[in-house]
Amino acid sequence: MLKIILSGCNGTMGQVIKQFTKDDDSIEIVAGLDKFPEKYNNNFPVYENPRQCKEEADVIIDFSHYSAFREIITFAKQHKLPLVMATTGLSDKNEKQLQLLSKEIPIFRSANMSLGVNVVLDLIYRATKSLEDSFDIEIIEAHHNKKVDAPSGTALMLAHEIKSAKNETSHFIYGRHGKQERRNKNDIGIHAIRGGTIVGEHTIVYAGLDEIIEIKHTALSKNIFAAGAIKAAKYIADKENGLYDMKKLLNNE
């Protein structure tokens, strides 16, 4: 049985994972970490401070707020626990810290735990290689009105994948308000929509001469992220130290 410490257990995704795993006999959530430990009645102990947690586990799944990043990675390092880092809104400094920490513990990092989104990454890499010379590329993402960070971590992940496929230097353009200039050939536009209860939509637009290609992923529920996170936890639990992602998981690396 895989024993999990669930960080951010009383957040939206934490509760989705709790419900998603309740009938899975191969998984046990042995403890939770959350800034609001009494918000829900969980069937496992919840600690506000990670230092209070003494339960033994095989892996940590982190869906907390990015402000808890330092506490979580310190806890994982001290206990030598594999870490599935699914929190969004991390800074470039945070990402570099994960790279350094991966020399000491196994870390699975993805800004989006959906298997479908990670297949889209492969599609847009190949599309960009074929179309970059004659097509302009823009990303539009839409999420619910409670999402704090913009653009989404997934939109940035898609943008970096496009950038890695292009032969020329690319520039991320976050909206165009106040810009009195034509679009540069190497721009990658990133646009955010917030409203209602949209779980998550990401559209990559390739606009060429008299034709448009769109690659789109729509999340219909948050269960897809829970499924991906559990799959990642099972994958990384017995891995050697290093930084892993969904591409490696899908390729069985």
Side-chain angles (χ1 to χ4, degrees):
M1 179 180 288
L2 187 71
K3 294 183 177 182
I4 295 172
I5 293 174
L6 181 57
S7 174
C9 64
N10 286 341
T12 301
M13 273 309 306
Q15 289 297 296
V16 170
I17 290 176
K18 183 182 80 171
Q19 292 300 317
F20 186 82
T21 59
K22 67 178 182 179
D23 297 322
D24 189 339
D25 294 335
S26 68
I27 296 168
E28 180 186 5
I29 300 174
V30 296
L33 306 175
D34 201 276
K35 291 296 183 184
F36 305 97
E38 299 179 359
K39 184 176 180 180
Y40 294 105
N41 183 23
N42 298 297
N43 59 345
F44 47 83
V46 180
Y47 303 99
E48 181 177 358
N49 190 325
R51 290 192 297 270
Q52 299 170 314
C53 181
K54 304 301 181 185
E55 280 74 13
E56 293 186 1
D58 301 306
V59 64
I60 303 171
I61 296 178
D62 181 51
F63 267 105
S64 64
H65 190 267
Y66 56 79
S67 61
F69 177 80
R70 181 188 293 271
E71 290 182 347
I72 299 305
I73 64 170
T74 299
F75 178 80
K77 179 179 179 179
Q78 289 175 342
H79 293 268
K80 298 296 182 182
L81 280 172
L83 172 63
V84 176
M85 176 57 67
T87 294
T88 61
L90 299 186
S91 66
D92 290 341
K93 179 181 178 181
N94 295 151
E95 299 289 357
K96 291 177 182 177
Q97 288 174 301
L98 287 177
Q99 291 178 7
L100 288 174
L101 183 57
S102 70
K103 296 178 181 179
E104 301 182 51
I105 61 172
I107 294 178
F108 188 101
R109 172 62 179 148
S110 178
N112 190 304
M113 287 292 163
S114 159
L115 298 180
V117 162
N118 285 275
V119 171
V120 167
L121 284 173
D122 179 60
L123 294 175
I124 64 173
Y125 184 89
R126 288 186 284 150
T128 301
K129 282 290 187 184
S130 299
L131 303 174
E132 65 169 313
D133 290 337
S134 54
F135 282 72
D136 298 322
I137 308 173
E138 302 273 311
I139 298 169
I140 304 168
E141 58 100 340
H143 285 85
H144 53 87
N145 56 22
K146 295 181 181 179
K147 186 171 178 63
V148 179
D149 54 313
S152 69
T154 302
L156 291 173
M157 183 169 65
L158 295 167
H160 282 290
E161 190 72 11
I162 292 167
K163 185 175 182 178
S164 71
K166 290 172 72 69
N167 293 320
E168 299 177 350
T169 302
S170 299
H171 307 285
F172 297 164
I173 305 297
Y174 304 100
R176 291 193 170 81
H177 176 72
K179 292 184 180 295
Q180 302 297 320
E181 57 188 41
R182 293 181 59 181
R183 186 188 196 282
N184 186 288
K185 179 180 180 294
N186 295 322
D187 289 349
I188 300 174
I190 306 174
H191 314 278
I193 296 169
R194 297 289 177 267
T197 58
I198 302 170
V199 175
E201 293 184 359
H202 292 85
T203 305
I204 305 92
V205 180
Y206 293 84
L209 182 62
D210 297 333
E211 59 180 335
I212 298 171
I213 299 169
E214 292 186 359
I215 299 174
K216 182 175 183 179
H217 179 273
T218 301
L220 299 180
S221 85
K222 293 183 182 296
N223 282 338
I224 65 171
F225 309 127
I230 295 301
K231 194 174 184 71
K234 291 179 177 180
Y235 165 81
I236 200 175
D238 59 355
K239 291 293 185 185
E240 297 180 355
N241 297 346
L243 191 60
Y244 301 84
D245 57 21
M246 197 63 77
K247 185 179 294 186
K248 291 182 178 180
L249 186 155
L250 291 172
N251 292 330
N252 294 315
E253 295 179 17

